[in-house]
């Protein structure tokens, strides 16, 4: 039997709220799409496992943490609301945190922050709108932050930056949309940037890079296809980059890597399936990798950050409700 015109009108009226409800239910999943740099998740974060402790206060973190040791303190950073950068610092001698505060000025951050100590100042970098890298620096002598500035020629950057101090220069690395890594370096004595250049070879990067200086070389790491971790290194003496290679074993990485030199070894840490953290280490004297293993504790909802402070290798992640959590690895 064919439906009457009244029945058809009723069907249309009933269909409208169904479509509205379906659209509303799908909207949060689209808005919360995962970032390869921050490894965000839209699901409710699991409880932090034993061994993890929250950094006191309301971090309001929107990204993975960044760390630096400066002026005798351990500094922790995270991207905050409205593109701000939030910071807290820990003093070992008093065993106290300063409390979270916002770095002054308009950071315009769209990525996790990274920091390095160079030329006596603490230098802070983020990716801003349009993929431009922005930076500011803090002087312990004056207790003041500089204004935020844009790094020339950095527009179109597709990841958070990474920093390293090597060969007397401050190096800045970032991934572009094609999965290649670009680099620029700043020389304090001339107050000049070298200009951007592409790191040779096929990095195949799908994450922000990470850096380490170890064994006299500058090392680069990225997450590659199928959860692998890829690496290359630069030797200042030869002015040569090695070919890109894959760190041995099943990394299972779902985030950008983090690095630390600790106990004579080079440690690489990534976020794995279910938010757990996985680690491997390279020993220079043997030329061997230890193999990937799961870190006790976890999980978090961001890529990890590392810091060596007070003789301890410390891991940091963003947890639930915008909190930052710490775990002593060694």
């Amino acid at each position: 039997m064919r439906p009457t015109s009244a029945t058809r009108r009723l069907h249309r009226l009933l269909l409208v709220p169904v479509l509205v409800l379906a659209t509303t239910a799908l909207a949060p999943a689209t808005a919360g799409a995962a970032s390869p740099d921050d490894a965000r998740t839209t699901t409710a974060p699991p409880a932090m496992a034993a061994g993890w402790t929250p950094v006191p206060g309301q971090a309001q973190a929107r990204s993975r943490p960044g760390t630096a040791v400066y002026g005798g303190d351990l500094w922790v950073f995270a991207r905050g609301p409205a593109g701000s950068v939030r910071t807290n610092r820990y003093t070992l001698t008093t065993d106290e945190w300063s409390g979270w505060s916002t770095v002054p000025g308009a950071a315009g951050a769209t990525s996790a922050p990274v920091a390095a100590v160079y030329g006596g100042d603490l230098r802070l970098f983020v990716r801003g709108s349009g993929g431009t890298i922005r930076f500011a620096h803090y002087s312990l002598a004056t207790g003041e932050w500089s204004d935020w500035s844009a790094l020339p020629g950095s527009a179109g950057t597709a990841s958070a930056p990474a920093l390293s101090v090597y060969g007397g220069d401050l190096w800045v690395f970032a991934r572009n949309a094609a999965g290649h890594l670009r680099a620029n370096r700043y020389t304090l004595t001339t107050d000049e940037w070298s200009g951007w250049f592409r790191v040779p070879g096929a990095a195949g990067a799908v994450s922000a890079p990470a850096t380490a200086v170890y064994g006299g070389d500058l090392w680069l790491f990225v997450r590659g296809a199928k959860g692998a971790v890829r690496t290359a290194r630069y030797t200042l003496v030869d002015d040569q980059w090695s070919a890109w290679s894959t760190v041995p074993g099943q990394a299972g990485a779902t985030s950008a890597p983090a690095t630390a030199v600790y106990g004579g070894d080079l440690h690489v840490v990534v976020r794995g399936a279910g938010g757990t953290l996985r680690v491997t280490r390279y020993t220079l004297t043997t030329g061997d990798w230890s193999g990937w293993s799961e870190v006790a504790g976890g999980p978090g909802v961001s890529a990890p950050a590392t810091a060596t402070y007070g003789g301890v290798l410390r891991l940091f992640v963003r947890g639930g409700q915008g909190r930052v959590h710490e775990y002593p690895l060694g």
Side-chain angles (χ1 to χ4, degrees), residues 82-314:
S84 63
V85 175
R86 302 274 291 162
T87 185
N88 201 342
R89 52 180 162 169
Y90 174 71
T91 304
L92 188 66
T93 54
T94 62
D95 191 25
E96 291 181 350
W97 288 90
S98 65
W100 289 96
S101 61
T102 300
V103 174
T110 62
S111 78
V114 292
V117 178
Y118 180 67
D121 289 349
L122 175 60
R123 299 175 186 265
L124 186 62
F125 287 71
V126 297
R127 183 186 58 180
S129 61
T132 299
I133 293 176
R134 294 174 57 76
F135 63 95
H137 59 92
Y138 176 80
S139 170
L140 197 64
T142 63
E144 294 182 352
W145 284 93
S146 71
D147 293 333
W148 287 90
S149 303
L151 181 55
S154 60
T157 295
S159 77
L163 306 177
S164 185
V165 177
Y166 180 67
D169 293 340
L170 174 63
W171 296 62
V172 181
F173 296 91
R175 175 176 60 91
N176 68 12
H180 302 301
L181 292 190
R182 299 175 67 219
N184 202 339
R185 51 182 172 174
Y186 173 73
T187 304
L188 187 66
T189 53
T190 61
D191 191 25
E192 291 181 350
W193 289 92
S194 66
W196 289 94
F197 61 93
R198 179 179 151 184
V199 175
V206 296
S207 78
T211 67
V213 176
Y214 180 66
D217 292 344
L218 171 58
W219 295 62
L220 279 178
F221 294 88
V222 296
R223 178 166 64 98
K226 299 181 180 179
V229 173
R230 306 264 296 156
T231 185
R233 50 179 147 166
Y234 173 76
T235 303
L236 190 65
V237 174
D238 301 330
D239 189 25
Q240 294 286 333
W241 285 93
S242 72
W244 285 90
S245 61
T246 299
V247 174
Q250 297 297 316
T254 62
S255 77
T259 64
V261 176
Y262 178 74
D265 293 341
L266 172 58
H267 292 67
V268 181
V269 187
V270 296
R271 183 175 183 265
T276 56
L277 298 185
R278 294 174 58 76
V279 62
T280 187
R281 65 181 187 272
Y282 177 78
T283 303
L284 188 66
T285 53
T286 63
D288 292 331
W289 289 93
S290 65
W292 292 95
S293 60
E294 189 170 302
V295 175
V301 295
S302 79
T306 62
T308 302
Y309 180 67
V312 177
L313 174 55
R314 304 164 189 263

Side-chain angles (χ1 to χ4, degrees), residues 23-80:
T23 304
T24 304
L26 289 172
T30 303
S35 158
D37 294 340
D38 297 341
R40 292 189 293 269
T41 177
T42 57
T43 59
M48 299 301 293
W52 289 89
T53 57
V55 174
Q58 296 300 315
Q60 300 178 293
R62 305 291 195 269
S63 76
R64 65 175 177 176
T67 64
V69 176
Y70 178 65
D73 293 341
L74 170 60
W75 296 61
V76 179
F77 299 93
R79 179 168 58 87

